[in-house]
Amino acid sequence: MIKLATIAGSDASGGAGLEADLKTFEEYGLYGMAAVTVIATMDPDNNWAHKVFPVEESALRAQLETVFKGVGISAVKSGMLGTFYAVELTREYVSSYKIAHYVLDPVMVCKGAGEALNPELNSAIAEKLLPLAELVTPNLFEAEQLSGLGGIDSLEKMKEAAGLIHGKGARHVFVKGGAKLPGQNRALDLLYDGKDFVILEDDLVKTNWNHGAGCTSSAAITAGLARGLSVIDAVKAAKKFITLSLKAGFALNQWVGPGNPSAWRSENLFK
Ligand code: PXL
């Protein structure tokens, strides 16, 4: 059995965070584990306002011991880390266990939470984790933060940001969300390996029910890598997976709705 893990926050509403990751790993036929960094909750009596409760350092370390040392994994992703010690512990475990397939989802904002998480934490993520990442999966906002390049409003700027982020140590950079560029109405993402830019284009799935899409797509890429796919093939399979998931998105309540990671079952993902 192929085993892999996520180091991420729990989304109590189940659509994002480690819940999305574990559902995705399962759909890929793999054995998923999770080390919880923070617990995110949403208040139904206050317009779904988010709160984030960090898991204490010793509890996070104990989970990482269980997963990395006690079981062993062939791939890992990180999502919302939330504290400096979670960044440092992720660096420590990914580097000392020499995990080849480490996917860094540099979660900096949570839809609905609005404001960016701590900007100093974003610098720590860039400095400590980019050099370990086989792949980093920023959206446009996160690409701006990681590259230091303001206002990414064109494909040329997406490429420039990908180059800068690659220069900080990530072996592959996957910038998502080109659909948000002025004048774009296709889902447009960019993969850069330090040599070539690959532009991946798809029909844009127009939906409000896209909670957890970033978590799901980086989990799907991690699962593809764990299965032995190349980075480009893992990214292409993940794009199919997330597109099908988003087409099957649904409302949880008046505030939020996730995609459905089991939607691919009616199609052949690897065709
Ligand atoms: O979608 C970003 C995200 C990541 N991780 C956790 C979250 C969210 C957004 O809600 O709750 C735990």
Side-chain angles (χ1 to χ4, degrees):
M1 187 63 153
I2 296 170
K3 302 176 216 81
L4 77 174
T6 179
I7 307 170
S10 166
D11 168 8
S13 73
L18 70 87
E19 287 80 359
D21 296 341
L22 292 179
K23 289 169 193 178
T24 301
F25 296 163
E26 181 74 15
E27 295 299 331
Y28 271 70
L30 308 176
Y31 183 79
M33 291 173 277
V36 191
T37 54
V38 296
I39 298 166
T41 62
M42 300 85 203
D43 185 352
D45 294 323
N46 183 21
N47 211 26
W48 211 239
H50 288 47
K51 269 193 190 160
V52 174
F53 300 87
V55 168
E56 69 176 61
E57 184 170 358
S58 61
L60 179 55
R61 183 181 283 282
Q63 296 176 80
L64 295 168
E65 282 285 298
T66 308
V67 168
F68 283 76
K69 188 173 183 184
V71 180
I73 48 173
S74 49
V76 65
K77 71 157 269 190
S78 61
M80 186 187 285
L81 294 171
T83 61
F84 286 97
Y85 57 79
V87 175
E88 178 51 31
L89 283 169
T90 301
R91 186 204 63 73
E92 180 185 330
Y93 277 81
V94 172
S95 64
S96 57
Y97 284 84
K98 301 191 173 33
I99 304 297
H101 303 304
Y102 167 46
V103 175
L104 167 59
D105 184 7
V107 176
M108 292 179 183
V109 275
C110 185
K111 272 188 224 93
E115 80 285 3
L117 301 168
N118 186 344
E120 284 163 34
L121 197 61
N122 297 345
S123 319
I125 289 171
E127 204 177 297
K128 290 180 189 268
L129 299 180
L130 279 177
L132 299 176
E134 180 174 30
L135 176 76
V136 61
T137 60
N139 59 28
L140 292 184
F141 173 78
E142 291 156 352
E144 288 174 359
Q145 301 297 305
L146 290 176
S147 65
L149 191 70
I152 301 177
D153 58 4
S154 65
L155 184 57
E156 280 318 302
K157 285 219 174 134
M158 270 173 93
K159 288 183 174 173
E160 195 181 339
L164 290 165
I165 296 167
H166 184 271
K168 296 185 183 193
R171 300 194 290 286
H172 299 81
V173 183
F174 182 49
V175 186
K176 305 168 300 180
K180 296 216 173 99
L181 297 176
Q184 259 303 329
N185 54 7
R186 303 266 295 153
L188 185 123
D189 303 316
L190 179 71
L191 179 65
Y192 181 57
D193 64 359
K195 267 183 24 219
D196 299 313
F197 291 102
V198 179
I199 294 165
L200 296 128
E201 238 185 293
D202 257 314
D203 288 341
L204 186 63
V205 183
K206 290 213 164 83
T207 175
N208 288 327
W209 312 132
N210 60 4
H211 177 60
C215 307
T216 301
S217 82
S218 59
I221 297 170
T222 314
L225 294 172
R227 289 184 67 103
L229 298 183
S230 65
V231 171
I232 182 72
D233 287 346
V235 166
K236 283 181 178 167
K239 288 239 349 167
K240 286 189 200 171
F241 186 86
I242 192 69
T243 301
L244 293 168
S245 172
L246 289 173
K247 281 183 179 161
F250 59 98
L252 283 183
N253 55 27
Q254 69 265 47
W255 294 288
V256 72
N260 176 358
S262 73
W264 75 277
R265 290 181 199 181
S266 52
E267 311 239 354
N268 184 346
L269 182 61
F270 299 111
K271 215 156 47 187

